[in-house]
Amino acid sequence: MQDACPHPAYPEQMQPLVDRYGRVATDLRVSLTDRCNLRCSYCMPAEGLDWMPTADQLTDDEVVRLITVAIERLGVREVRFTGGEPLVRRGLVDVVGRTRAIDPGVELSITTNGIGLARTAGALADAGLDRVNVSLDTVRPDTFLEITRRDRFNDVVEGLAAAERSGLGPVKVNAVLLRGLNDDQAPELLRWCLDRGYQLRFIEQMPLDAQHGWSREGMVTADEIFAHLDGEFSLTPATEPRGSAPAELFLVDGGPATVGVIASVTRPFCGDCDRVRLTADGQVRNCLFAREESDLRAAMRNGATDAELAERWLAAMAGKAAGHGIDDPTFLQPDRPMSAIGG
Ligand code: SAM
Ligand code: SF4
């Protein structure tokens, strides 16, 4: 369990986001939009989704205000912008810059599919972004088209290179393996990332797709991922402790390069969770799998003070469940899909 990060800048008004199990949330995931320019089959249907009406979405000012509350009053030390696809949000660079201005010590990153990153990586770095995580499940253009339903492989590759050039490193690559589609491509994806100095992390597929197509039997498990890599690479556990980081890290062929596996389903890390989420329409979610949300947008638009917003946020955290409960027979997938929560 990670201690609450000391926060010398705001000692008096600071109340850490502690839940009833003593976990402290210091890592805020901010979804900037539920829209996306890809249609990854494990995330959303081919026809897309009914996007959130613009009036429901937080404005840039509202996003920055809530992030300020999180940093100055609730001890958040890491902010990650996500979505949907955060690069399609017009105000992204400005929101990053204004978040950086709140506190130069907070770690800022984005999770993106990389489309358009070639154009914006420099501006994002200049605005104060520290790092990017780019999602890429295959290095074969035809498999990319099959998984994402869009022919944009080269845009992602160019985005990755631009991120590296702009100093947004270490560049991390997130990959989901799908049975019969790309699970046999794990070694070539790792080789490709190693050759370019990108840190690859495989993520187990979770029951968060809009079309509810996930099944325990259908998902590729961490054990299977290791088996796929085993023939080509020797993996040994990296010595650094995993802590609240979801990825278990392994040295590749003795290191120093590593590969990560995020086994959210088969090796849950909920006991060490330090995350909290804010949706693009201003709902606090204390867990990806939460079935309840706390509406900060309505409170804010009804005139709540920063102190009142912080109180609401604290109350929302108190109800965080011990674990995601995917293996529980009573498990129910949340109403919002991953793309509308913010992955
Ligand atoms: N559009 C951006 C992207 O793809 O990186 C950010 C949002 S996306 C929802 C964030 C991450 O969630 C991506 O790495 C994506 O691969 C992953 N993801 C989406 N659906 C998932 C699922 N059902 N299970 C596991 N990971 C998923
Ligand atoms: Fe879009 Fe990311 Fe979902 Fe793919 S995983 S459809 S890129 S939100």
Side-chain angles (χ1 to χ4, degrees):
M1 180 88 46
Q2 175 172 304
D3 289 336
C5 200
H7 203 322
Y10 322 103
E12 277 140 40
Q13 54 193 19
M14 259 288 300
Q15 276 186 287
L17 285 169
V18 190
D19 67 33
R20 65 196 143 127
Y21 300 98
R23 294 168 297 187
V24 182
T26 54
D27 179 347
L28 172 63
R29 308 284 161 115
V30 179
S31 174
L32 291 176
T33 176
D34 62 339
R35 292 168 195 241
C36 191
N37 39 18
L38 295 184
R39 297 285 182 274
C40 305
S41 58
Y42 51 81
C43 185
M44 59 174 82
E47 64 276 18
L49 296 166
D50 290 334
W51 309 127
M52 191 181 283
T54 310
D56 288 358
Q57 201 170 276
L58 297 180
T59 63
D60 292 356
D61 287 349
E62 288 172 332
V63 173
V64 173
R65 178 169 174 209
L66 291 180
I67 295 174
T68 307
V69 169
I71 292 174
E72 295 189 348
R73 293 175 180 266
L74 301 169
V76 160
R77 302 306 297 153
E78 214 179 315
V79 178
R80 176 184 297 269
F81 296 103
T82 179
E85 176 44 49
L87 291 182
V88 305
R89 171 108 182 197
R90 213 176 286 158
L92 174 68
V93 172
D94 185 50
V95 170
V96 168
R98 291 168 69 189
T99 303
R100 169 54 68 224
I102 300 167
D103 186 329
V106 165
E107 189 169 323
L108 295 186
S109 57
I110 58 169
T111 298
T112 169
N113 62 28
I115 294 172
L117 191 55
R119 263 195 331 276
T120 48
L124 286 167
D126 291 345
L129 193 75
D130 293 311
R131 286 189 304 102
V132 292
N133 282 37
V134 178
S135 303
L136 181 64
D137 307 318
T138 173
V139 288
R140 296 188 200 171
D142 53 341
T143 310
F144 184 92
L145 172 60
E146 204 174 349
I147 294 176
T148 68
R149 304 176 174 118
R150 297 289 185 272
D151 192 9
R152 307 296 298 267
F153 173 72
N154 288 334
D155 299 73
V156 183
V157 174
E158 286 164 18
L160 276 160
E164 182 77 35
R165 274 196 311 276
S166 305
L168 294 173
V171 171
K172 293 186 182 169
V173 172
N174 293 346
V176 176
L177 292 183
L178 304 169
R179 201 178 301 292
L181 259 175
N182 65 339
D183 54 342
D184 60 333
Q185 299 177 26
E188 71 184 71
L189 181 56
L190 177 54
R191 177 69 62 206
W192 190 90
C193 289
L194 292 173
D195 288 348
R196 289 158 182 78
Y198 307 150
Q199 294 182 4
L200 176 62
R201 294 128 38 103
F202 292 100
I203 308 175
E204 279 182 346
Q205 190 188 355
M206 293 179 276
L208 287 169
D209 55 315
Q211 57 278 37
H212 291 225
W214 180 92
S215 74
R216 179 92 196 201
E217 308 70 50
M219 65 168 276
V220 177
T221 64
D223 284 349
E224 290 175 82
I225 296 169
F226 292 127
H228 281 299
L229 295 174
D230 200 31
E232 286 201 37
F233 301 96
S234 135
L235 301 185
T236 46
T239 45
E240 54 186 273
R242 175 186 183 189
S244 60
E248 286 179 76
L249 287 183
F250 298 86
L251 297 175
V252 181
D253 295 335
T258 57
V259 62
V261 178
I262 302 181
S264 322
V265 178
T266 61
R267 302 178 197 183
F269 35 85
C270 305
D272 287 321
C273 181
D274 66 354
R275 275 164 289 282
V276 57
R277 295 184 147 79
L278 182 66
T279 64
D281 55 352
Q283 312 295 306
V284 168
R285 296 182 61 93
N286 57 30
C287 173
L288 262 179
F289 293 92
R291 299 199 49 80
E292 284 177 11
E293 303 180 335
S294 180
D295 189 354
L296 294 190
R297 184 195 62 196
M300 190 164 40
R301 291 184 181 173
N302 286 328
T305 63
D306 285 358
E308 285 163 352
L309 293 171
E311 278 308 317
R312 273 183 174 255
W313 205 321
L314 284 161
M317 281 317 283
K320 179 162 168 147
H324 58 46
I326 292 174
D327 284 329
D328 194 322
T330 62
F331 173 77
L332 277 178
Q333 193 170 325
D335 295 333
R336 282 189 200 247
M338 177 82 126
S339 57
I341 297 172

